[in-house]
Amino acid sequence: MWSADGETVSAGGPRLRALLAMLLLNAGRTVGVRRLVEGLYGPQAPSGAAHALQSQVSRLRRRLEDAGETADLLEFGPAGYRLLVDPGDVDAHRFERLAGEGRQVLAAGDHAGAARLLGEALGLWRGPALADVIDAPFAGEQAARLEESRIAVLEDLVEARLADGGHRDLAAELPEIVAAHPLRERLRGQLMRALYGSGRKAEALQVFEEARRTLADELGADPSPELGGVHLAMLRAGPAPAEAAGGGVPAQFTSFVGRDGDLERVRTLLGERRLVTLTGPGGVGKTRLAAEAAGLEQGEVRFVDLAPLTDGAAAPQVLINALGLREAGLVPSLSGPLDPVERLIAGLAERRVLLVLDNCEHVVAEVATLARRLLAACRDLRILVTSRERLGVTGETLHPVPPLPLDGGDDAHGGAGGGREARGRAAVRLFADRAAAVRPGFSVDEANAGAVLRVCRALDGLPLAIELAAARMRSLTLEEIEARLDDRFRLLSRGDRSAAPRHRTLRAVVGWSWDLLSRPEQTLAARLTVFSGGAPLHAAVRVCGPSEEEVVELLADLVDKSLVEAGGGRYRMLETVQEFCAERLAGDERERVRAAHTACFLDLAQAAEPHLRGPGQLEWLARLDAERGNLHAALRWAAGADPVLGLRLLAALSWQGQLRGLPGERAAVAAGLLTTIGDEPPAGLEEEYTLCLAHAAAADNGHDRRLRERLERLGGDGRLRYPFLRVLRFMVIGPSPAAGPVPADPWSAAFGRLESGVTCLLGGERDAAGEAFRAALEGFRAAGDRWGVLTALERLAGLADETGSAALLAQAIDLAGRLGAVEDLTRLLVRNADRLADAGRLPDARAEYERAIAFARRTGTPETQAGAQRGLADVARLRGDLPAARDLYERALRGCGRASMGAALTRLRILIGLGRVAEAERDAGQARLRYRQALAIAHAYGDRQSAATASAALAAVTSPGGEEPVYGS
């Protein structure tokens, strides 16, 4: 405690300090004598403890008087003692007040305000609570309460900083905090989000693995649903925002200056309209405004950059990737093609999303058509577009984004009043902010305000042009910048007058920045344009050369000059800058650099391929996720320039594409390769050619026959360079014969045991099948492949009793979540719900089916959603609600009309359910029709168990010779 004049006052010995602490924890409130006695001496207080308390109170009063307080500060009454102190003067109470205010502000969405209040609350702590009286009987419980409150406030502060974009700083700070509190799952989840938001997805997933092990070892418990939800959300979203072409709102590297009015207008429009388009010339700030507006949204946001698109027809596929919609399960269903727009509609129909489509001007017609279809079919969807021209769709609301304002009087000479006015303008503030970043201490004052304003006027208030000019303050004076701009635009005015003035201005300022680069900097800037989605340093060094040391130095210079952005371990160019620099890459050199780029990412894909079936599976998947744009760019170039190289790269990526559900993304490239190469593979590339056929078949059933023929030619001796072909052959042709040489690699040997188990199961040998599946499970676990473990667990669950099936399915569901296999996760949840329904646990089954439906919406495949809806229909039927059951069955039936095995088997179960409903309603004719339809499907696909079920149901519903039908159970 402190006296009125700020001097420290000693509270006395341990017993006296403990008494003061108890009274302060209840500042202004009466504390009973008995409670004080027990708090000081324990529940078994000695005789005379009450007299001892009176003595301690007297001594405390003297201490307070010594501190300059009045004697009546410590008051005695019939109920006990009260210390007449304002709670606001006690740090513990101030802490709790600030914490409550911070939480309220956080809930209201003011993240910066919340961080300030919560940080102030934590700043009151100077060590452990009640550290110098901790041995007093009362202190342990109170200290634990305060410490729990401190950690909760720390978690709230982290939440506020995450919401405010502080991922990178928190990724550095949180590991130490988590290590000090290893069982705090909220902190673990926040560390995962911080790492993920920093582009470090693999490390984020590793944090979850560590949490799972720690909780199991310390508590014998699994992660909470909340922590599991963070984990699944990351897996469903695919690459981290810093890595992907589509995802959450991209992190911004600079402050947002001068658009408050535009931001408020756009936010208002998004609250009222479903399609809002930001229009304006390149460099005016459309993308940044869209990112800021989207970042303030409370619900789900997907930000998709369409600038890399060369063909507007590919826009639906880009959106599929950004929304995390998988195209298939881990095992290919060979379901045949599904229209990408229909997949988008299926994935968005019940999903409240703001979709931001950035840089649409070069594909505006295709985006307009796509937006119209999506908005018509998905009632909870909103779309925010940035484009240099409007879409022209009915219901579109335009917000033209103007340059930053420059009017308000003539400040050309920077007079006193004019200088003050100039400093307040958005364009000038932007220049000042960016210039200060490269020349610390720079500010706009009365002396230089006029010059800054003239520079901004020469650049027509275009933010990108202003930023590029301000970046030159690192090496030029303001006067030199102004003079060079005047020269540039004097020359420009005699050039192409047909171009829009602002386009000429922007191109001129990028060209001016280019001219000021050294020759090595120009060379590197031009070569960097072959990268899509940014370049990691090692790839930039290899592709752009000549040496690591020189590339590192040149990249730092380009970052300083605002031509390149650095973040998350990657280097990126703004679209306008990249377009300009790409034009400076000469034809011969462009091909050489693209060849080097493709070779670099071929090496990455080939290095990753065997690891995707081993213990490093998640780490290598994350590395490939980060380079998705570069891998696809390399594929596109190779398909046209070097088909053999294209075949090899496509083959190396095949298993990754299957695990991530990407076959459709590469189908067009595969079809082009087949057209170029012809009907026969190049020598030694039979496996690569077969995998190319499989990719093409994902979008065109016309390749199915050739694929089957190629798979049959490969044989079953196990000597395959690409083990994924074993999976394809199994699904297309069926399991290989049990006899034959054992494959050399452990993964293929384990898969061979899985095939053997399926063969036994088809032959009715359940015990032998179980033995083979268990051997496969052990083999996949030894190899470290989560996909194989998941597959074997699912097979074993089908053979186990109710208790064993529950445990096996739980393990499989956990693995599917860790792999991000949303379609497989949905299927497993449906199977688990089926198990619960069979056991008569209908409320639990219903909850699990509803959970499956929530995941099914993420898949974009209607039959996956239909399978979960069928389960809900079963529950309704078993509860006797026949109208609801019929409605759910019929809705599910409409979702599985494709000519595919997966859709057909789902349709079979729906038809049996409709037959049961017809039986219960005593409609024998309708029941027989449904059962016959189901039986036909079962025979067509060789499903003996379903065929037996349908046959038994059909036999039970008979009406021979006009007799009344006999109804089965």
Side-chain angles (χ1 to χ4, degrees), residues 272-276 374-376 378-383:
E272 300 170 349
R273 311 294 171 84
R274 296 184 62 209
L275 176 60
V276 178
L374 292 179
L375 290 168
C378 308
R379 62 184 178 183
D380 291 325
L381 174 67
R382 292 173 298 151
I383 300 178

Side-chain angles (χ1 to χ4, degrees), residues 172-306:
E173 298 169 18
L174 281 174
E176 183 177 353
I177 298 172
V178 168
H181 305 279
L183 301 180
R184 301 287 298 201
E185 293 187 72
R186 188 182 181 196
L187 281 172
R188 294 267 190 181
Q190 290 171 330
L191 175 56
M192 290 169 65
R193 289 161 56 199
L195 290 166
Y196 184 85
S198 304
R200 297 158 64 182
K201 180 178 178 182
E203 294 172 68
L205 295 174
Q206 185 60 38
V207 170
F208 181 80
E209 288 297 309
E210 292 169 0
R212 194 168 61 84
R213 286 195 297 270
T214 300
L215 291 168
D217 293 343
E218 297 291 332
L219 305 176
D222 292 327
S224 66
E226 291 75 18
L227 185 59
V230 174
H231 179 241
L232 286 176
M234 288 181 184
L235 293 169
R236 291 200 305 271
E243 301 167 345
V249 180
Q252 303 300 315
F253 304 111
T254 56
S255 56
F256 185 61
V257 178
R259 293 284 191 199
D260 293 342
D262 286 306
L263 181 59
E264 188 60 34
R265 168 67 175 158
V266 172
R267 292 196 67 197
T268 299
L269 289 176
L270 288 174
E272 300 170 349
R273 311 294 171 84
R274 296 184 62 209
L275 176 60
V276 178
T277 300
L278 308 184
T279 60
V284 79
K286 301 184 297 295
T287 296
R288 185 60 188 271
L289 178 58
E292 293 293 331
L296 295 172
E297 289 288 313
Q298 296 299 311
E300 183 181 2
V301 177
R302 291 289 167 168
F303 196 102
V304 189
D305 182 10
L306 297 179

Side-chain angles (χ1 to χ4, degrees), residues 106 371 439 584 642 698 719 730 795 804 945 949:
L106 180 61
R439 181 179 284 184
R584 271 75 192 157
D642 189 343
R719 291 192 295 271
F730 170 67
R795 292 288 183 179
Q945 183 173 348
T949 301

Side-chain angles (χ1 to χ4, degrees), residues 70-87:
T70 60
D72 58 359
L73 184 68
L74 179 51
E75 176 186 87
F76 176 71
Y81 292 92
R82 179 169 62 158
L83 192 61
L84 299 177
V85 171
D86 184 348

Side-chain angles (χ1 to χ4, degrees), residues 95-117:
F95 165 76
E96 291 173 340
R97 175 180 59 79
L98 288 165
E101 292 174 359
R103 289 190 177 106
Q104 289 178 356
V105 172
L106 180 61
D110 182 359
H111 306 127
R116 179 181 56 78
L117 289 165

Side-chain angles (χ1 to χ4, degrees), residues 273-565:
R273 311 294 171 84
R274 296 184 62 209
L275 176 60
V276 178
T277 300
L278 308 184
T279 60
V284 79
K286 301 184 297 295
T287 296
R288 185 60 188 271
L289 178 58
E292 293 293 331
L296 295 172
E297 289 288 313
Q298 296 299 311
E300 183 181 2
V301 177
R302 291 289 167 168
F303 196 102
V304 189
D305 182 10
L306 297 179
L309 271 185
T310 56
D311 179 6
Q317 185 64 51
V318 174
L319 267 63
I320 285 170
N321 299 339
L323 288 163
L325 303 181
R326 288 182 55 87
E327 296 186 42
L330 292 174
V331 178
S333 63
L334 297 178
S335 301
L338 179 63
D339 177 47
V341 179
E342 292 300 325
R343 291 192 56 232
L344 280 172
I345 290 171
L348 289 168
E350 304 292 334
R351 195 166 164 184
R352 189 169 184 80
V353 183
L354 171 62
L355 196 57
V356 183
L357 304 182
D358 191 32
N359 295 310
C360 296
E361 51 275 343
H362 60 306
V363 288
V364 66
E366 293 85 355
V367 170
T369 302
L370 179 60
R372 185 186 299 113
R373 285 193 64 185
L374 292 179
L375 290 168
C378 308
R379 62 184 178 183
D380 291 325
L381 174 67
R382 292 173 298 151
I383 300 178
L384 176 62
V385 172
T386 75
S387 176
R388 296 180 191 177
E389 61 176 296
R390 65 189 182 90
L391 299 188
V393 175
T394 302
E396 178 183 26
T397 300
L398 299 181
H399 177 78
V401 181
L404 294 174
L406 292 160
D407 10 330
D410 185 3
D411 305 303
H413 301 290
R420 282 195 297 272
E421 185 180 347
R423 291 201 303 275
R425 294 180 187 167
V428 174
R429 286 190 287 120
L430 177 64
F431 184 96
D433 181 86
R434 303 308 191 249
V438 297
R439 181 179 284 184
F442 174 83
S443 63
V444 178
D445 54 27
E446 295 293 327
N448 63 22
V452 172
L453 185 57
R454 289 193 297 273
V455 168
C456 293
R457 277 186 173 148
L459 300 173
D460 284 335
L462 285 171
L464 176 58
I466 291 170
E467 291 183 351
L468 290 171
R472 287 297 166 187
M473 289 291 291
R474 180 171 179 261
S475 55
L476 299 176
T477 66
L478 185 58
E479 292 73 20
E480 288 171 332
I481 289 173
E482 184 180 4
R484 287 170 182 265
L485 286 177
D486 285 346
D487 291 343
R488 161 69 59 176
F489 296 133
R490 197 173 297 118
L491 290 172
L492 179 69
S493 66
R494 293 193 292 271
D496 181 7
R497 296 181 182 273
S498 64
R502 292 187 181 113
H503 289 178
R504 296 205 309 265
T505 301
L506 179 60
R507 192 163 187 79
V509 79
V510 177
W512 166 66
S513 293
W514 172 271
D515 290 343
L516 291 175
L517 297 178
S518 67
R519 181 58 62 85
E521 287 171 341
Q522 289 178 344
T523 300
L524 179 60
R527 291 175 180 174
L528 281 173
T529 61
V530 302
F531 287 91
S532 177
L537 179 60
H538 69 87
V541 169
R542 174 171 171 180
V543 174
C544 302
S547 69
E548 179 174 357
E549 182 178 351
E550 185 172 354
V551 170
V552 169
E553 290 299 321
L554 292 173
L555 278 172
D557 291 339
L558 292 174
V559 170
D560 286 341
K561 295 168 183 176
S562 292
L563 289 170
V564 170
E565 290 183 333

